[in-house]
């Protein structure tokens, strides 16, 4: 199906079944971890509740689980290759 701007869309045509997941349809995409309702008022006022909540959740999780501090590189072992012996011409 070609759209007016030259792009195309596809319609799911195939389904698959797996023991662990059950039925799935191609091109379905990923379901969100957290569903956020965007009300008509949010839409009219240009608010993106989903983005705001995602950023707040990410910051809360980062605060609760701070990132690991990488080690300093003072005692890193020297892993450079040793120099090769001089070539001999034969």
């Amino acid at each position: 199906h070609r759209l007016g701007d030259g792009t195309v869309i596809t319609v799911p045509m195939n389904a698959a079944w797996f023991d662990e997941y059950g039925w799935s349809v191609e091109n379905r995409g990923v379901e969100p971890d957290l569903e956020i309702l965007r009300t008509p008022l949010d839409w009219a006022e240009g608010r993106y509740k989903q983005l705001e909540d995602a950023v707040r959740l990410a910051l809360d999780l980062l605060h609760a689980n701070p990132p690991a501090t990488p080690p300093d590189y003072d005692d890193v072992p020297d892993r450079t290759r040793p120099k090769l012996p001089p070539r001999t011409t034969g």
Side-chain angles (χ1 to χ4, degrees):
H1 304 283
R2 187 164 301 278
L3 302 177
D5 64 356
T7 59
V8 296
I9 60 170
T10 60
V11 177
M13 297 174 63
N14 299 309
W17 186 83
F18 297 97
D19 286 337
E20 294 183 28
Y21 306 106
W23 282 102
S24 181
V25 178
E26 66 175 340
N27 294 336
R28 183 162 182 228
V30 177
E31 292 190 20
D33 294 330
L34 188 63
E35 289 198 33
I36 306 297
L37 177 65
R38 188 173 185 197
T39 66
L41 182 61
D42 291 335
W43 181 273
E45 294 181 353
R47 283 194 305 260
Y48 292 91
K49 189 84 169 113
Q50 202 169 19
L51 180 60
E52 293 168 8
D53 285 0
V55 169
R56 187 177 336 103
L57 177 63
L59 291 174
D60 290 346
L61 288 171
L62 192 58
H63 182 69
N65 306 299
T69 305
D72 59 1
Y73 292 101
D74 293 339
D75 59 346
V76 174
D78 183 11
R79 302 245 188 238
T80 57
R81 288 187 186 180
K83 292 192 178 238
L84 294 174
R87 290 185 179 207
T88 58
T89 56

